[in-house]
Amino acid sequence: MFSTYNGDLSLLNGVIENQNLNEFVRRAALRAYEYITRDGHITREDMISYLHSLIRHCLEHEESEYALAGSIVNTVIDAHLFELIPEVETLFDRDMIDHFIMGTYDSFINYVFDTRYDDRRNIHIDDTIGDLEHWACFAEPKPKPMAPPSVLSPANKKKVGRNDPCPCGSGKKYKHCCLNKAVNPFKQDNKPYDLLTDYPLIVEDAEPGAITFDRYFKAQGIEIDIPVYKALHHRAIPLWYKRDHVQEDLGRIDFLIEAFDMFTRVCDAENIPTFAAFDAQYQVHYHSKKWIGALKDLLEKYEDDLPTEKYAYIDRVAARLAKEDCYEANGN
């Protein structure tokens, strides 16, 4: 569609905005709009303005425009349109984005600041045969080399016995080391994987004036956000790890309490009265009311297992949420 575009922007917009057309056709037209901008025929400012209007349209017709809303989010990510982050957040808050396909808002923030996989190859079709010859339907099938039976047979894989040396290299017997070891990825001294693997990178050598994660968000907001992210961000945990869900939740409580203490200090020092006022200045991945509510639920769930110094947080967190309810009841 991009390679056959004739310069009439109204025709392209007509396809994007036509609710009677197939959603994949509309998505392709929006992608073509992005390519035309990248090619210099439309300014970045004009594209942002047009997406503003599309987002307003989606919010007005939300029941019929979920597919278009998802396409807009994809475009914002691919083109790194940081100016539209607040509007995209509204789409997530209105439940207009399919979490199964796009992930949640915290994933969106990761994607929009991630430039590691940007595709800046030639976007024109200059050689049709060259562009199509790698397609499976045109490629000559190549027989795959068969692996020798010794590789294919699972019987040849040596099983670690209970009394064998542990494969982790500790020098202990397997039964006294890793056989029954519970893996708790939420404890600092036990890291089968990094809880911040997907966290946006801090770009040390960014060009002057470039918008980066650490320039867009306040340093204090990022500092509070990191333990919240460790506690709440969804991550795939390998099936072969033996898990202790109670210990994981207790680890989440540790991280959220750390964030709550910093949150409280900032609100007291700057006289910030509400969650909304705090989010307007410091939110990164999560609404403060959401993660503080999650902390309350976890504290109440494990009330009988908490040490004395953490037990006190049950009342502190409940009081902070009750204070917010009073503000909302009074219309503030």
Side-chain angles (χ1 to χ4, degrees), residues 282-308:
Y282 294 110
Q283 180 191 341
V284 180
H285 283 97
Y286 305 95
H287 289 304
S288 52
K289 186 174 184 179
K290 174 182 177 180
W291 66 260
I292 291 175
L295 174 57
K296 175 179 178 291
D297 293 341
L298 286 168
L299 289 171
E300 292 176 347
K301 181 178 179 180
Y302 294 99
E303 182 175 353
D304 296 334
D305 302 313
L306 297 174
T308 304

Side-chain angles (χ1 to χ4, degrees), residues 71 82 85 97 132 137 204 207 222 235 253 286 307:
S71 298
F82 310 111
I85 288 177
I97 306 302
L132 298 182
C137 59
E204 302 290 350
E207 296 180 2
I222 295 175
R235 50 187 66 84
I253 289 174
Y286 305 95

Side-chain angles (χ1 to χ4, degrees), residues 84-250:
L84 292 172
I85 288 177
E87 283 75 10
V88 168
E89 184 179 10
T90 301
L91 294 175
F92 276 96
D93 289 343
R94 295 273 288 268
D95 291 326
M96 294 193 65
I97 306 302
D98 189 334
H99 292 177
F100 181 77
I101 296 174
M102 297 296 304
T104 49
Y105 179 73
D106 56 343
S107 295
F108 160 74
I109 290 295
N110 292 352
Y111 298 147
V112 76
F113 284 100
D114 191 347
T115 59
R116 292 174 296 173
Y117 308 109
D118 283 0
D119 186 356
R120 289 293 179 260
R121 295 172 297 178
N122 180 24
I123 53 180
H124 297 272
I125 298 178
D126 299 318
D127 180 359
T128 307
I129 294 176
D131 279 355
L132 298 182
E133 64 183 357
H134 68 280
W135 288 25
C137 59
F138 299 119
E140 296 253 349
K142 296 180 180 179
K144 293 184 179 179
M146 290 294 293
S150 60
V151 176
L152 294 174
S153 175
N156 291 310
K157 186 176 181 181
K158 185 178 178 181
K159 182 178 180 181
V160 181
R162 290 172 56 83
N163 293 308
D164 291 340
C166 186
C168 76
S170 66
K172 300 178 182 179
K173 290 184 177 181
Y174 184 48
K175 66 181 179 182
H176 294 313
C177 191
C178 291
L179 178 61
N180 296 311
K181 184 180 288 184
V183 174
N184 178 9
F186 291 89
K187 286 297 182 183
Q188 299 287 358
D189 57 352
N190 189 357
K191 294 183 178 178
Y193 58 89
D194 186 359
L195 291 174
L196 292 177
T197 295
D198 299 325
Y199 203 77
L201 299 173
I202 305 298
V203 182
E204 302 290 350
D205 55 348
E207 296 180 2
I211 299 177
T212 60
F213 176 74
D214 53 317
R215 292 175 181 173
Y216 186 88
F217 296 108
K218 292 183 177 179
Q220 212 163 13
I222 295 175
E223 184 182 5
I224 295 171
D225 180 67
I226 285 176
V228 179
Y229 186 92
K230 290 179 178 179
L232 298 187
H233 184 65
H234 173 76
R235 50 187 66 84
I237 298 177
L239 293 174
W240 52 87
Y241 286 137
K242 183 177 179 181
R243 299 177 61 184
D244 184 332
H245 293 280
V246 173
Q247 288 301 315
E248 289 179 13
D249 280 347
L250 293 175

